[in-house]
Amino acid sequence: MIQVGTSNTLTVVGEFPFGFQLSTQNDNEGLVTLPAHLAPEGLKEGDALDVFVLPDETGALFATTQKPAIEIGQTKVLKAVNATHFGAFFDWGLEKDLLVPAQHQESPVNPGMYYVVHAFYDSATKRLLGATRLHPFLSEDGTEFSAGQPVSCLVYAKTELGFKVVVEGTHTGLLFHSDAFVSPRIGDAIDAVIKNVRDDGKLDIALQRTDKQGRDTLADAIVDDLEAHGGLSTLTDKSAPDEIYARFKVSKAAYKKALGRLYKQRKIVIEKQAIRLVKQEG
């Protein structure tokens, strides 16, 4: 069955002056048109190719060989290219821009800026649309996650409490300011962990683990980094927080605690401008 708003592998079943008719190998009832100017050179009946299927202004399906930056059900960062009273248009890599209607905007869209957009199929208008108001499309029930679980997040809004994030492309979560030792920007993709799953299923996010396992993992990562650099590192407890985060994805406070722990275990020597790994006997 042909899937609208996503990539399909279809077969050419007919050729016309204006383009080609495509269908699945096992279902000739569903037909889509591939315009001639979007078809690869030498395409002929019986050939199979990957295409993106979407509806036109009338609701009829057509195919394109262009690769969109976002597909239905996905949440990605896109650039706004135009805005009107009824909606804003975003560049998603196709000939016609993706419309985000005004009623699906979290706030007014400014052309030239980047926004986190969710793509969906609107059955009322039979069109593929986008939304910057994400809550209707993402789940707030994160009971399938567990505390300490690593997750990929996308920052989409800033509030008085912290930063709203998309968790694994499917759920919403909140990164409190107290857990954001580096200030992410809207649209930033970040590696994080589940700090807490609340009783109502909502997710609290942190940039690093603060439990014993997290501390052990950081200490091991520091030792591995030293071994990889001949036992010497210029990343000390005096280094800038951004430099530490760039290397280990942790706060300066967590890094200093890990260095202190390794020092007490006599695994490292802390100098003014360097950290040295102590050679273990045996």
Side-chain angles (χ1 to χ4, degrees), residues 1 25-27 59 94 106 109 113 115 132 138 141 145 157 160 171 185 194 203 216 235 251 263 273 276:
M1 185 175 183
Q25 289 183 336
N26 300 320
D27 181 13
L94 301 186
E106 183 68 27
V109 171
M113 295 186 64
Y115 295 83
T132 57
L138 301 173
D141 181 8
F145 295 92
E160 292 182 357
H171 290 69
R185 297 170 298 179
I194 303 296
L203 299 175
D216 290 343
L235 195 67
S251 66
Y263 177 77
Q273 297 182 339
R276 294 184 183 274

Side-chain angles (χ1 to χ4, degrees), residues 235-277:
L235 195 67
T236 70
D237 56 351
K238 301 295 191 298
S239 297
D242 289 347
E243 294 178 7
I244 294 170
Y245 183 75
R247 181 80 63 87
F248 294 106
K249 298 295 186 290
V250 298
S251 66
K252 183 172 182 176
Y255 183 67
K256 290 176 68 174
K257 288 180 181 179
L259 291 182
R261 184 179 182 190
L262 291 171
Y263 177 77
K264 290 180 180 179
Q265 295 172 346
R266 298 182 178 180
K267 292 183 178 180
I268 63 170
V269 174
I270 301 177
E271 301 175 352
K272 286 186 177 181
Q273 297 182 339
I275 304 296
R276 294 184 183 274
L277 187 64

Side-chain angles (χ1 to χ4, degrees), residues 21-277:
Q21 279 195 322
L22 310 179
S23 182
T24 62
Q25 289 183 336
N26 300 320
D27 181 13
N28 284 333
E29 294 181 0
L31 297 173
V32 298
T33 300
L34 174 65
H37 73 282
L38 294 176
E41 186 175 353
L43 187 67
K44 61 184 183 301
E45 189 169 336
D47 287 349
L49 73 165
D50 294 329
V51 293
F52 181 75
V53 177
L54 67 163
D56 62 18
E57 292 82 356
T58 68
L61 297 183
F62 76 99
T64 175
T65 51
Q66 296 174 316
K67 303 296 183 184
I70 188 172
E71 296 190 357
I72 190 170
Q74 294 181 339
T75 306
K76 298 286 186 68
V77 178
L78 300 178
K79 182 180 180 180
V81 294
N82 193 16
T84 68
H85 67 281
F86 63 86
F89 294 89
F90 285 76
D91 179 11
W92 62 326
L94 301 186
E95 286 185 320
K96 292 190 176 181
D97 299 321
L98 179 67
L99 172 65
V100 175
Q103 65 268 29
H104 291 293
Q105 296 175 18
E106 183 68 27
S107 58
V109 171
N110 296 314
M113 295 186 64
Y114 289 85
Y115 295 83
V116 178
V117 178
H118 182 85
F120 68 99
Y121 178 76
D122 182 42
S123 56
T125 61
K126 296 183 179 179
R127 298 181 68 180
L128 285 181
L129 299 174
T132 57
R133 182 176 293 162
L134 303 181
H135 275 84
F137 305 97
L138 301 173
S139 174
E140 292 186 341
D141 181 8
T143 51
E144 64 190 73
F145 295 92
S146 57
Q149 179 179 343
V151 289
S152 297
C153 296
L154 184 64
V155 181
Y156 72 90
K158 184 178 181 179
T159 71
E160 292 182 357
L161 295 177
F163 299 90
K164 293 181 180 180
V165 298
V166 180
V167 182
E168 293 295 335
T170 56
H171 290 69
T172 60
L174 181 62
L175 172 64
F176 285 95
H177 286 299
S178 57
D179 293 313
F181 45 84
V182 292
S183 184
R185 297 170 298 179
I186 305 303
D188 278 356
I190 57 175
D191 293 325
V193 296
I194 303 296
K195 181 179 181 180
N196 180 47
V197 181
R198 302 184 210 171
D199 292 339
D200 59 3
K202 293 183 178 179
L203 299 175
D204 295 334
I205 306 299
L207 294 182
Q208 65 184 37
R209 294 189 65 155
T210 56
D211 57 5
K212 183 179 184 301
Q213 183 176 343
R215 294 191 295 270
D216 290 343
T217 300
L218 176 56
D220 290 341
I222 293 172
V223 171
D224 290 344
D225 183 72
L226 283 165
E227 290 177 342
H229 293 87
L232 176 69
S233 173
T234 57
L235 195 67
T236 70
D237 56 351
K238 301 295 191 298
S239 297
D242 289 347
E243 294 178 7
I244 294 170
Y245 183 75
R247 181 80 63 87
F248 294 106
K249 298 295 186 290
V250 298
S251 66
K252 183 172 182 176
Y255 183 67
K256 290 176 68 174
K257 288 180 181 179
L259 291 182
R261 184 179 182 190
L262 291 171
Y263 177 77
K264 290 180 180 179
Q265 295 172 346
R266 298 182 178 180
K267 292 183 178 180
I268 63 170
V269 174
I270 301 177
E271 301 175 352
K272 286 186 177 181
Q273 297 182 339
I275 304 296
R276 294 184 183 274
L277 187 64

